[in-house]
Amino acid sequence: MHRIATIVCRNADGRFLVHRRQDDDSRFPGQYNWMLGGAADVGESYEAAAARELSEELGVDATPRFVLKFLCAGAISPYWLGLHEVVITAPIRPNPQEVAWHAWVTKSELESLVPQQKFVPDAREAFHRYRPLGPADAP
């Protein structure tokens, strides 16, 4: 079973980053997500994978904080999902091969978007597990 490291990004105002995947992406093309991330390499910790993915997808060097891990049902197949969060204060440089569009949204806007928009199914599952915990350092 594989492992996926994800990152929830917030800005200094506490807004969440939401993005849309590229239309030609092999998995979930054109769908929305509130997490960034990808597979952890063999022997790589969730934390190291999350930091690597953050750099690759947003051009941000930071150390995401581990929040939770769970066995995600997965729309394709089950996997272990490690969810992290980070507050980003520097400008982001989204990788155009990964991110087609992005915006910073409030918590209430995110709660409205997740069920109404075309979100990656696994992102919905992660959101419902994260929501009761809430951001660790919300303003």
PDB file of all heavy atoms in Angstrom, residues 24-47:
ATOM      1  N   ASP A  24      -5.292  18.283 -18.367  1.00  0.00           N
ATOM      2  CA  ASP A  24      -4.662  17.108 -18.975  1.00  0.00           C
ATOM      3  C   ASP A  24      -3.990  16.202 -17.942  1.00  0.00           C
ATOM      4  O   ASP A  24      -3.251  15.287 -18.288  1.00  0.00           O
ATOM      5  CB  ASP A  24      -3.665  17.517 -20.065  1.00  0.00           C
ATOM      6  CG  ASP A  24      -2.518  18.374 -19.526  1.00  0.00           C
ATOM      7  OD1 ASP A  24      -2.519  18.728 -18.329  1.00  0.00           O
ATOM      8  OD2 ASP A  24      -1.615  18.687 -20.316  1.00  0.00           O
ATOM      9  N   ASP A  25      -4.259  16.445 -16.656  1.00  0.00           N
ATOM     10  CA  ASP A  25      -3.696  15.599 -15.600  1.00  0.00           C
ATOM     11  C   ASP A  25      -4.242  14.182 -15.753  1.00  0.00           C
ATOM     12  O   ASP A  25      -5.405  13.989 -16.106  1.00  0.00           O
ATOM     13  CB  ASP A  25      -4.075  16.168 -14.226  1.00  0.00           C
ATOM     14  CG  ASP A  25      -3.115  15.732 -13.142  1.00  0.00           C
ATOM     15  OD1 ASP A  25      -2.812  14.533 -13.070  1.00  0.00           O
ATOM     16  OD2 ASP A  25      -2.672  16.596 -12.375  1.00  0.00           O
ATOM     17  N   SER A  26      -3.403  13.181 -15.488  1.00  0.00           N
ATOM     18  CA  SER A  26      -3.842  11.788 -15.659  1.00  0.00           C
ATOM     19  C   SER A  26      -4.847  11.344 -14.597  1.00  0.00           C
ATOM     20  O   SER A  26      -5.618  10.419 -14.828  1.00  0.00           O
ATOM     21  CB  SER A  26      -2.638  10.847 -15.659  1.00  0.00           C
ATOM     22  OG  SER A  26      -1.987  10.882 -14.399  1.00  0.00           O
ATOM     23  N   ARG A  27      -4.828  11.974 -13.450  1.00  0.00           N
ATOM     24  CA  ARG A  27      -5.763  11.638 -12.378  1.00  0.00           C
ATOM     25  C   ARG A  27      -6.552  12.875 -11.979  1.00  0.00           C
ATOM     26  O   ARG A  27      -5.974  13.913 -11.677  1.00  0.00           O
ATOM     27  CB  ARG A  27      -5.019  11.088 -11.170  1.00  0.00           C
ATOM     28  CG  ARG A  27      -4.377   9.745 -11.481  1.00  0.00           C
ATOM     29  CD  ARG A  27      -3.856   9.092 -10.229  1.00  0.00           C
ATOM     30  NE  ARG A  27      -3.416   7.756 -10.527  1.00  0.00           N
ATOM     31  CZ  ARG A  27      -2.156   7.364 -10.485  1.00  0.00           C
ATOM     32  NH1 ARG A  27      -1.208   8.205 -10.147  1.00  0.00           N
ATOM     33  NH2 ARG A  27      -1.843   6.114 -10.772  1.00  0.00           N
ATOM     34  N   PHE A  28      -7.855  12.773 -11.986  1.00  0.00           N
ATOM     35  CA  PHE A  28      -8.763  13.840 -11.576  1.00  0.00           C
ATOM     36  C   PHE A  28      -8.534  15.147 -12.349  1.00  0.00           C
ATOM     37  O   PHE A  28      -8.406  16.222 -11.763  1.00  0.00           O
ATOM     38  CB  PHE A  28      -8.672  14.078 -10.069  1.00  0.00           C
ATOM     39  CG  PHE A  28      -8.749  12.824  -9.260  1.00  0.00           C
ATOM     40  CD1 PHE A  28      -7.638  12.338  -8.595  1.00  0.00           C
ATOM     41  CD2 PHE A  28      -9.935  12.104  -9.190  1.00  0.00           C
ATOM     42  CE1 PHE A  28      -7.709  11.165  -7.860  1.00  0.00           C
ATOM     43  CE2 PHE A  28     -10.015  10.933  -8.465  1.00  0.00           C
ATOM     44  CZ  PHE A  28      -8.900  10.456  -7.794  1.00  0.00           C
ATOM     45  N   PRO A  29      -8.472  15.081 -13.684  1.00  0.00           N
ATOM     46  CA  PRO A  29      -8.224  16.293 -14.481  1.00  0.00           C
ATOM     47  C   PRO A  29      -9.285  17.365 -14.245  1.00  0.00           C
ATOM     48  O   PRO A  29     -10.474  17.081 -14.163  1.00  0.00           O
ATOM     49  CB  PRO A  29      -8.268  15.783 -15.932  1.00  0.00           C
ATOM     50  CG  PRO A  29      -9.026  14.502 -15.872  1.00  0.00           C
ATOM     51  CD  PRO A  29      -8.770  13.923 -14.512  1.00  0.00           C
ATOM     52  N   GLY A  30      -8.803  18.605 -14.088  1.00  0.00           N
ATOM     53  CA  GLY A  30      -9.685  19.751 -13.940  1.00  0.00           C
ATOM     54  C   GLY A  30     -10.448  19.826 -12.636  1.00  0.00           C
ATOM     55  O   GLY A  30     -11.258  20.730 -12.457  1.00  0.00           O
ATOM     56  N   GLN A  31     -10.185  18.917 -11.709  1.00  0.00           N
ATOM     57  CA  GLN A  31     -10.912  18.938 -10.444  1.00  0.00           C
ATOM     58  C   GLN A  31     -10.206  19.840  -9.426  1.00  0.00           C
ATOM     59  O   GLN A  31      -9.017  20.119  -9.533  1.00  0.00           O
ATOM     60  CB  GLN A  31     -11.088  17.524  -9.893  1.00  0.00           C
ATOM     61  CG  GLN A  31     -12.039  16.704 -10.739  1.00  0.00           C
ATOM     62  CD  GLN A  31     -12.398  15.379 -10.089  1.00  0.00           C
ATOM     63  OE1 GLN A  31     -11.922  15.032  -9.018  1.00  0.00           O
ATOM     64  NE2 GLN A  31     -13.251  14.631 -10.749  1.00  0.00           N
ATOM     65  N   TYR A  32     -10.972  20.256  -8.426  1.00  0.00           N
ATOM     66  CA  TYR A  32     -10.477  21.157  -7.390  1.00  0.00           C
ATOM     67  C   TYR A  32      -9.956  20.376  -6.195  1.00  0.00           C
ATOM     68  O   TYR A  32     -10.384  19.255  -5.933  1.00  0.00           O
ATOM     69  CB  TYR A  32     -11.588  22.106  -6.938  1.00  0.00           C
ATOM     70  CG  TYR A  32     -11.999  23.059  -8.026  1.00  0.00           C
ATOM     71  CD1 TYR A  32     -12.972  22.698  -8.966  1.00  0.00           C
ATOM     72  CD2 TYR A  32     -11.399  24.304  -8.141  1.00  0.00           C
ATOM     73  CE1 TYR A  32     -13.331  23.563  -9.980  1.00  0.00           C
ATOM     74  CE2 TYR A  32     -11.764  25.175  -9.157  1.00  0.00           C
ATOM     75  CZ  TYR A  32     -12.724  24.798 -10.068  1.00  0.00           C
ATOM     76  OH  TYR A  32     -13.073  25.658 -11.073  1.00  0.00           O
ATOM     77  N   ASN A  33      -9.045  21.009  -5.459  1.00  0.00           N
ATOM     78  CA  ASN A  33      -8.472  20.394  -4.265  1.00  0.00           C
ATOM     79  C   ASN A  33      -8.085  21.497  -3.288  1.00  0.00           C
ATOM     80  O   ASN A  33      -7.798  22.618  -3.695  1.00  0.00           O
ATOM     81  CB  ASN A  33      -7.244  19.558  -4.634  1.00  0.00           C
ATOM     82  CG  ASN A  33      -6.929  18.486  -3.631  1.00  0.00           C
ATOM     83  OD1 ASN A  33      -7.261  18.596  -2.452  1.00  0.00           O
ATOM     84  ND2 ASN A  33      -6.272  17.438  -4.090  1.00  0.00           N
ATOM     85  N   TRP A  34      -8.070  21.175  -2.031  1.00  0.00           N
ATOM     86  CA  TRP A  34      -7.647  22.123  -0.994  1.00  0.00           C
ATOM     87  C   TRP A  34      -6.317  21.677  -0.386  1.00  0.00           C
ATOM     88  O   TRP A  34      -5.819  22.283   0.531  1.00  0.00           O
ATOM     89  CB  TRP A  34      -8.722  22.267   0.082  1.00  0.00           C
ATOM     90  CG  TRP A  34      -8.872  21.035   0.916  1.00  0.00           C
ATOM     91  CD1 TRP A  34      -9.279  19.801   0.497  1.00  0.00           C
ATOM     92  CD2 TRP A  34      -8.590  20.911   2.293  1.00  0.00           C
ATOM     93  NE1 TRP A  34      -9.267  18.919   1.539  1.00  0.00           N
ATOM     94  CE2 TRP A  34      -8.849  19.579   2.663  1.00  0.00           C
ATOM     95  CE3 TRP A  34      -8.136  21.807   3.260  1.00  0.00           C
ATOM     96  CZ2 TRP A  34      -8.671  19.106   3.952  1.00  0.00           C
ATOM     97  CZ3 TRP A  34      -7.975  21.334   4.558  1.00  0.00           C
ATOM     98  CH2 TRP A  34      -8.237  20.000   4.884  1.00  0.00           C
ATOM     99  N   MET A  35      -5.752  20.576  -0.938  1.00  0.00           N
ATOM    100  CA  MET A  35      -4.454  20.064  -0.490  1.00  0.00           C
ATOM    101  C   MET A  35      -3.536  19.955  -1.697  1.00  0.00           C
ATOM    102  O   MET A  35      -3.990  19.746  -2.809  1.00  0.00           O
ATOM    103  CB  MET A  35      -4.597  18.663   0.120  1.00  0.00           C
ATOM    104  CG  MET A  35      -5.546  18.568   1.270  1.00  0.00           C
ATOM    105  SD  MET A  35      -5.697  16.866   1.910  1.00  0.00           S
ATOM    106  CE  MET A  35      -6.314  15.969   0.497  1.00  0.00           C
ATOM    107  N   LEU A  36      -2.252  20.073  -1.437  1.00  0.00           N
ATOM    108  CA  LEU A  36      -1.220  19.747  -2.412  1.00  0.00           C
ATOM    109  C   LEU A  36      -0.580  18.458  -1.935  1.00  0.00           C
ATOM    110  O   LEU A  36      -0.724  18.077  -0.774  1.00  0.00           O
ATOM    111  CB  LEU A  36      -0.167  20.855  -2.471  1.00  0.00           C
ATOM    112  CG  LEU A  36      -0.672  22.226  -2.872  1.00  0.00           C
ATOM    113  CD1 LEU A  36       0.367  23.275  -2.552  1.00  0.00           C
ATOM    114  CD2 LEU A  36      -1.028  22.246  -4.341  1.00  0.00           C
ATOM    115  N   GLY A  37       0.165  17.803  -2.772  1.00  0.00           N
ATOM    116  CA  GLY A  37       0.875  16.638  -2.284  1.00  0.00           C
ATOM    117  C   GLY A  37       1.158  15.603  -3.345  1.00  0.00           C
ATOM    118  O   GLY A  37       0.894  15.799  -4.522  1.00  0.00           O
ATOM    119  N   GLY A  38       1.697  14.487  -2.870  1.00  0.00           N
ATOM    120  CA  GLY A  38       2.058  13.394  -3.752  1.00  0.00           C
ATOM    121  C   GLY A  38       2.622  12.241  -2.973  1.00  0.00           C
ATOM    122  O   GLY A  38       2.681  12.258  -1.735  1.00  0.00           O
ATOM    123  N   ALA A  39       3.079  11.241  -3.697  1.00  0.00           N
ATOM    124  CA  ALA A  39       3.575  10.006  -3.090  1.00  0.00           C
ATOM    125  C   ALA A  39       4.872  10.236  -2.329  1.00  0.00           C
ATOM    126  O   ALA A  39       5.748  10.976  -2.777  1.00  0.00           O
ATOM    127  CB  ALA A  39       3.780   8.949  -4.164  1.00  0.00           C
ATOM    128  N   ALA A  40       4.961   9.579  -1.187  1.00  0.00           N
ATOM    129  CA  ALA A  40       6.211   9.561  -0.427  1.00  0.00           C
ATOM    130  C   ALA A  40       7.087   8.462  -1.021  1.00  0.00           C
ATOM    131  O   ALA A  40       6.606   7.363  -1.317  1.00  0.00           O
ATOM    132  CB  ALA A  40       5.934   9.287   1.048  1.00  0.00           C
ATOM    133  N   ASP A  41       8.346   8.760  -1.229  1.00  0.00           N
ATOM    134  CA  ASP A  41       9.279   7.767  -1.752  1.00  0.00           C
ATOM    135  C   ASP A  41       9.580   6.718  -0.687  1.00  0.00           C
ATOM    136  O   ASP A  41       9.393   6.961   0.519  1.00  0.00           O
ATOM    137  CB  ASP A  41      10.582   8.449  -2.187  1.00  0.00           C
ATOM    138  CG  ASP A  41      10.397   9.374  -3.378  1.00  0.00           C
ATOM    139  OD1 ASP A  41       9.477   9.130  -4.190  1.00  0.00           O
ATOM    140  OD2 ASP A  41      11.168  10.342  -3.487  1.00  0.00           O
ATOM    141  N   VAL A  42      10.068   5.567  -1.122  1.00  0.00           N
ATOM    142  CA  VAL A  42      10.459   4.508  -0.188  1.00  0.00           C
ATOM    143  C   VAL A  42      11.511   5.066   0.767  1.00  0.00           C
ATOM    144  O   VAL A  42      12.495   5.680   0.343  1.00  0.00           O
ATOM    145  CB  VAL A  42      11.017   3.280  -0.951  1.00  0.00           C
ATOM    146  CG1 VAL A  42      11.563   2.245   0.020  1.00  0.00           C
ATOM    147  CG2 VAL A  42       9.941   2.681  -1.831  1.00  0.00           C
ATOM    148  N   GLY A  43      11.279   4.913   2.061  1.00  0.00           N
ATOM    149  CA  GLY A  43      12.215   5.392   3.075  1.00  0.00           C
ATOM    150  C   GLY A  43      12.092   6.878   3.401  1.00  0.00           C
ATOM    151  O   GLY A  43      12.761   7.365   4.303  1.00  0.00           O
ATOM    152  N   GLU A  44      11.262   7.602   2.687  1.00  0.00           N
ATOM    153  CA  GLU A  44      11.071   9.035   2.925  1.00  0.00           C
ATOM    154  C   GLU A  44       9.954   9.220   3.947  1.00  0.00           C
ATOM    155  O   GLU A  44       8.898   8.600   3.840  1.00  0.00           O
ATOM    156  CB  GLU A  44      10.703   9.723   1.606  1.00  0.00           C
ATOM    157  CG  GLU A  44      10.546  11.221   1.695  1.00  0.00           C
ATOM    158  CD  GLU A  44      10.201  11.850   0.345  1.00  0.00           C
ATOM    159  OE1 GLU A  44       9.482  11.220  -0.455  1.00  0.00           O
ATOM    160  OE2 GLU A  44      10.646  12.979   0.113  1.00  0.00           O
ATOM    161  N   SER A  45      10.156  10.081   4.928  1.00  0.00           N
ATOM    162  CA  SER A  45       9.115  10.348   5.925  1.00  0.00           C
ATOM    163  C   SER A  45       7.993  11.159   5.276  1.00  0.00           C
ATOM    164  O   SER A  45       8.183  11.813   4.247  1.00  0.00           O
ATOM    165  CB  SER A  45       9.694  11.123   7.112  1.00  0.00           C
ATOM    166  OG  SER A  45      10.039  12.444   6.715  1.00  0.00           O
ATOM    167  N   TYR A  46       6.830  11.116   5.910  1.00  0.00           N
ATOM    168  CA  TYR A  46       5.724  11.941   5.440  1.00  0.00           C
ATOM    169  C   TYR A  46       6.125  13.415   5.448  1.00  0.00           C
ATOM    170  O   TYR A  46       5.816  14.159   4.520  1.00  0.00           O
ATOM    171  CB  TYR A  46       4.488  11.762   6.337  1.00  0.00           C
ATOM    172  CG  TYR A  46       3.696  10.509   6.085  1.00  0.00           C
ATOM    173  CD1 TYR A  46       3.797   9.420   6.938  1.00  0.00           C
ATOM    174  CD2 TYR A  46       2.816  10.424   5.005  1.00  0.00           C
ATOM    175  CE1 TYR A  46       3.050   8.271   6.719  1.00  0.00           C
ATOM    176  CE2 TYR A  46       2.067   9.285   4.778  1.00  0.00           C
ATOM    177  CZ  TYR A  46       2.191   8.210   5.642  1.00  0.00           C
ATOM    178  OH  TYR A  46       1.444   7.078   5.423  1.00  0.00           O
ATOM    179  N   GLU A  47       6.808  13.840   6.514  1.00  0.00           N
ATOM    180  CA  GLU A  47       7.192  15.244   6.648  1.00  0.00           C
ATOM    181  C   GLU A  47       8.135  15.680   5.527  1.00  0.00           C
ATOM    182  O   GLU A  47       7.987  16.755   4.954  1.00  0.00           O
ATOM    183  CB  GLU A  47       7.826  15.509   8.014  1.00  0.00           C
ATOM    184  CG  GLU A  47       6.849  15.403   9.167  1.00  0.00           C
ATOM    185  CD  GLU A  47       6.591  13.962   9.651  1.00  0.00           C
ATOM    186  OE1 GLU A  47       7.159  13.001   9.076  1.00  0.00           O
ATOM    187  OE2 GLU A  47       5.798  13.807  10.589  1.00  0.00           O
TER     188      GLU A  47
END
